Amino acid sequence: MSSDAPADKRPVVLSGIQPSGRLTIGNYLGAIRNWLPLNADYDTHYMLVDLHAISVRQDPAERLERCYEFIALYLACGLDPDKNVLFVQSHVPAHSQLAWVLNCYTQYGELSRMTQFKDKAAKHADNVNAGLFCYPVLMAADILLYDARKVPVGDDQRQHLELTRTIAQRFNRSHGETFVVPETMTPPIGARIMGLQTPEAKMSKSEDAETNAVYLLDEPKRIERKIKRAVTDMDGAIRFDQENKPGVSNLMSILAACTGDSFETIERDYDGGGYGNFKKAVADAVIATLEPVQQRYAEIRGDEAALREVLRDGAAKANARAAATIERVHHALGFIPA
Ligand code: TYM
């Protein structure tokens, strides 16, 4: 591997979120919260993936606001910039560079099978652009650029991670060991938080229906209202059964992820007490989980200069690591050194 490898020899962790809506408790419980302890053992890199986000149309002024909001929320959730490399994808040109190379090692049929592409193509039928189609290749570039060993994500990203592994292995077979083949890391509880109104589909930040998701910046009253109105069923039992009781099971997952209680404990504590009582406990747990995040967010969001300083520092570190990988890849491909 490269001779100018960075000094930190711990295995690399990398993950990211696209600024394509407002962060939900799905993003928090499925991803961000699980990122927090990893810097004890890994060299952790967390991105804002703005290049991915342009595959769907969004007003630039709104996007800019979202990007600052997301970075402030990363910090408010507890990601310490002194212990994690926090950066923006578009600040590291090597992501786009490597994505082109990897496009040439990815098959049309593989990209056609991606369920997220099929979903998004159906939802944005008037704009099925090449970026939307090649989205998983850019994601592979994000990961392979940093020699990431582990990628902590929610369940919905598994298929993209599998494709990343396939691309890395294919390239390595053709050109010798160039990329680290990454592993997916998903949490035991919270990897797939479902919509409050549509518990058979995942909670999404680019949701049309406001009541389907709890957003990290929702006020306590609003959280309580949304959870109170969450879809359940008619039998009144607090029991984990995703197939027959998706709404109750989802609320149990949210409660378990927020409190650390097991499903057995929750069943014992709340069964027989009615859904009203149970929903109140879920709402209280979510509010208590988000309260410190919201407080810290209010303190830091206003100082955009400080946020940009964090990102400049992160970009410098990310660029150094990424440049070493690009050099290695170009060498493997037989390009004349620059
Ligand atoms: P994105 O922005 O859709 O979601 C960000 C993270 O949140 C997780 N997540 C959920 N987890 C549990 N329940 C849910 N309802 C839920 N919704 C979202 C996602 O699994 C993800 O971990 N393509 C990625 C972003 C990306 C990326 C990367 C991730 C780009 N490059 C490199 C890891 C590594 C995406 O759109 O995630």
Side-chain angles (χ1 to χ4, degrees):
M1 301 244 165
S2 171
S3 51
D4 12 296
D8 193 333
K9 297 289 181 209
R10 294 174 304 169
V12 173
V13 152
L14 176 129
S15 200
I17 302 188
Q18 17 166 11
S20 59
R22 286 171 289 163
L23 281 174
T24 71
I25 52 165
N27 301 123
Y28 182 71
L29 300 174
I32 300 176
R33 202 184 54 160
N34 310 303
W35 298 354
L36 298 176
L38 296 176
N39 64 55
D41 300 313
Y42 297 92
D43 181 9
T44 46
H45 292 65
Y46 300 119
M47 295 180 289
L48 178 75
V49 298
D50 53 355
L51 295 173
H52 275 106
I54 63 169
S55 57
V56 170
R57 297 281 178 265
Q58 188 183 10
D59 172 52
E62 194 183 311
R63 173 174 295 123
L64 185 62
E65 169 65 25
R66 283 278 177 261
C67 287
Y68 278 119
E69 179 183 306
F70 274 38
I71 290 300
L73 275 169
Y74 276 17
L75 299 178
C77 286
L79 287 173
D80 179 348
D82 292 332
K83 296 186 180 153
N84 304 276
V85 181
L86 304 180
F87 67 103
V88 177
Q89 190 184 31
S90 67
H91 293 180
V92 184
H95 289 256
S96 310
Q97 268 178 294
L98 185 59
W100 172 255
V101 172
L102 299 182
N103 270 324
C104 302
Y105 289 79
T106 309
Q107 298 302 306
Y108 175 85
E110 288 169 330
L111 293 176
S112 312
R113 284 194 288 277
M114 293 291 114
T115 50
Q116 219 162 68
F117 168 68
K118 289 191 254 183
D119 290 350
K120 284 199 178 163
K123 198 168 167 200
H124 304 280
D126 57 334
N127 183 25
V128 186
N129 58 70
L132 201 59
F133 189 63
C134 297
Y135 178 111
V137 183
L138 179 58
M139 180 161 160
D142 296 341
I143 296 165
L144 300 182
L145 205 45
Y146 296 92
D147 298 330
R149 279 188 196 280
K150 307 265 182 183
V151 183
V153 285
D155 233 19
D156 61 334
Q157 296 301 318
R158 275 184 184 282
Q159 196 186 29
H160 289 159
L161 258 298
E162 270 314 307
L163 181 62
T164 300
R165 289 170 57 85
T166 302
I167 297 170
Q169 285 160 343
R170 180 175 294 144
F171 193 98
N172 286 350
R173 267 199 308 278
S174 296
H175 301 287
E177 287 302 306
T178 308
F179 294 123
V180 169
V181 180
E183 283 169 34
T184 311
M185 221 182 193
T186 53
I189 295 177
R192 194 170 188 82
I193 300 295
M194 312 306 272
L196 297 177
Q197 294 300 318
T198 56
E200 52 295 319
K202 74 162 185 172
M203 184 182 284
S204 159
K205 61 177 131 59
S206 43
E207 213 41 83
D208 300 326
E210 163 78 27
T211 49
N212 207 30
V214 172
Y215 300 102
L216 296 197
L217 295 175
D218 274 350
E219 289 163 10
K221 278 272 162 257
R222 185 180 283 249
I223 296 175
E224 205 177 314
R225 228 175 15 248
K226 286 181 178 178
I227 292 179
K228 213 183 252 172
R229 291 184 191 160
V231 167
T232 48
D233 51 52
M234 299 300 283
D235 84 353
I238 311 291
R239 180 163 43 82
F240 192 82
D241 176 350
Q242 268 174 319
E243 207 183 322
N244 299 305
K245 294 172 69 64
V248 170
S249 302
N250 187 41
L251 292 175
M252 286 179 72
S253 295
I254 294 172
L255 183 57
C258 288
T259 59
D261 287 345
S262 66
F263 291 145
E264 294 74 40
T265 305
I266 293 172
E267 285 174 9
R268 199 187 53 228
D269 289 354
Y270 298 101
D271 197 26
Y275 287 160
N277 189 37
F278 170 59
K279 284 178 166 178
K280 173 84 172 72
V282 177
D284 287 348
V286 172
I287 291 166
T289 300
L290 296 185
E291 194 188 355
V293 174
Q294 296 183 350
Q295 255 173 24
R296 176 113 180 83
Y297 176 83
E299 287 161 21
I300 60 180
R301 171 63 186 90
D303 194 349
E304 289 182 359
L307 295 176
R308 288 182 61 194
E309 188 57 41
V310 165
L311 297 177
R312 257 196 299 276
D313 187 44
K317 291 179 186 146
N319 269 303
R321 201 180 258 283
T325 307
I326 291 292
E327 206 182 300
R328 198 167 76 222
V329 170
H330 284 186
H331 176 74
L333 290 169
F335 291 176
I336 294 176

